[in-house]
């Protein structure tokens, strides 16, 4: 009898170990009759459309978020690492090898980059270089972007939490769920548009159902969304760090 019990114990331990390996993989399939939604916020049991709706509500209601990854827009790839909240945002943007920092406080938008960036932006149509003295003046400073400048409209959306999330958190086509997963230690439920062709979105199964990972349709970028609700300091740069260009910025 003792030998039989010991055998059963060893088999149970082996099964438990195998279950652990499955659960810690990319997809959380569970083992045996285990409920993959046990101990979660329960959204994994809901229809895909409801999950998307709840994740949108959670995102809109959050005080702040950090958004990092890539966005492809109008044929250009932007690498973003932005922290956003209702009254502004701050972070970095890289596109076509050129990197710069963005800072918005209320309606005031600032752009900070090195002199090389400004020299390139100011290249003339005949191939000659822009005024290097002007580039040196702008380099390393926060340049206040005039509200009427084309650059203002182009870049302010990167600092606007509601506008950016509204444009990004959209899956196209018929929605469906695509199993339980894990992203950076967070258990998620994945929803897809047109079986992935319309994009995929992983939604947290812990606490508030925040969006965690977005893969946009058509290879238009991948974004991780973290630090939901974590506030951060946001203030205009000091005057000695700021240049008010006063007219339309150099164009690219």
């Amino acid at each position: 009898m003792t030998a039989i019990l010991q055998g059963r114990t060893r088999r149970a331990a082996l099964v438990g170990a195998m279950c652990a390996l499955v659960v810690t993989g990319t997809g959380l399939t569970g083992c045996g009759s285990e409920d993959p939604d046990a101990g979660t916020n329960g959204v994994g049991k809901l229809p895909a459309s409801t999950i998307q709706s709840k994740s949108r509500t959670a995102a809109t209601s959050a005080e702040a978020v950090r958004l990092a990854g890539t966005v492809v827009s109008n044929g250009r790839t932007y690498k973003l690492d932005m922290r956003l909240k209702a009254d502004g945002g701050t972070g970095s943007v890289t596109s076509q090898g050129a990197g710069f920092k963005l800072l918005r406080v209320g309606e005031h938008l600032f752009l900070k980059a090195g002199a090389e960036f400004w020299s390139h932006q100011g290249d003339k149509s005949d191939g000659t270089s822009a005024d290097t003295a002007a580039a040196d003046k702008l380099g390393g400073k926060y340049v206040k972007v005039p509200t009427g400048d084309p650059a203002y409209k182009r870049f302010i959306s990167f600092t606007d939490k509601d506008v950016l999330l509204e444009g990004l958190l959209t899956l196209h086509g018929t929605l469906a769920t695509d199993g339980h997963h894990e992203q950076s230690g967070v258990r998620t439920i994945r929803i897809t548009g047109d079986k992935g062709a319309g994009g995929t979105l992983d939604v947290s199964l812990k606490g508030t159902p925040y969006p965690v990972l977005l893969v946009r349709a058509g290879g238009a970028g991948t974004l991780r969304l973290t630090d939901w609700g974590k506030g951060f300091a946001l203030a205009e740069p000091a005057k000695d760090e700021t240049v008010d260009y006063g007219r339309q910025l150099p164009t690219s």
Side-chain angles (χ1 to χ4, degrees), residues 172 192-200 216-219:
H172 303 281
T192 66
D194 278 349
K195 299 181 179 180
T200 69
R216 302 182 71 204

Side-chain angles (χ1 to χ4, degrees), residues 21-234:
L21 288 174
V22 173
V23 171
T24 56
T26 303
L28 300 180
T29 60
C31 193
S33 60
E34 289 187 7
D35 181 359
D37 291 298
T40 72
N41 55 23
V43 298
K45 297 180 178 181
L46 302 175
S49 59
T50 305
I51 297 173
Q52 178 175 251
S53 177
K54 285 184 173 293
S55 69
R56 278 180 171 274
T57 299
T60 301
S61 302
E63 177 187 346
V65 63
R66 181 176 182 179
L67 189 152
T70 58
V71 172
V72 181
S73 177
N74 297 323
R76 176 174 291 188
T77 299
Y78 296 92
K79 183 178 180 181
L80 310 179
D81 189 353
M82 299 294 301
R83 299 192 70 180
L84 310 169
K85 57 182 179 179
D87 58 346
T90 182
S92 62
V93 179
T94 302
S95 179
Q96 297 182 333
F100 51 92
K101 293 183 178 180
L102 285 177
L103 169 65
R104 181 175 67 85
V105 182
E107 296 300 314
H108 296 164
L109 178 66
F110 301 87
L111 191 155
K112 182 179 181 180
E116 183 177 336
F117 171 88
W118 290 110
S119 178
H120 172 72
Q121 297 300 307
D123 285 349
K124 300 176 183 179
S125 59
D126 61 3
T128 60
S129 298
D131 184 358
T132 55
D136 289 340
K137 179 182 178 182
L138 300 178
K141 297 286 188 177
Y142 282 97
V143 178
K144 190 173 183 179
V145 183
T147 57
D149 192 279
Y152 188 90
K153 294 182 179 179
R154 185 186 312 156
F155 294 131
I156 194 170
S157 61
F158 288 136
T159 67
D160 192 313
K161 172 179 172 286
D162 291 338
V163 170
L164 194 58
L165 293 181
E166 178 66 26
L168 294 175
L169 297 180
T170 300
L171 301 180
H172 303 281
T174 303
L175 298 180
T177 55
D178 187 29
H180 293 67
H181 299 263
E182 184 175 309
Q183 302 295 338
S184 302
V186 177
R187 296 170 65 186
T188 66
I189 180 70
R190 180 171 297 168
I191 56 176
T192 66
D194 278 349
K195 299 181 179 180
T200 69
L201 181 67
D202 279 41
V203 177
S204 176
L205 288 173
K206 179 180 179 180
T208 306
Y210 290 123
V212 174
L213 177 70
L214 170 69
V215 179
R216 302 182 71 204
T222 299
L223 292 164
R224 291 190 178 276
L225 302 100
T226 60
D227 294 347
W228 287 105
K230 294 183 179 181
F232 58 94
L234 193 62

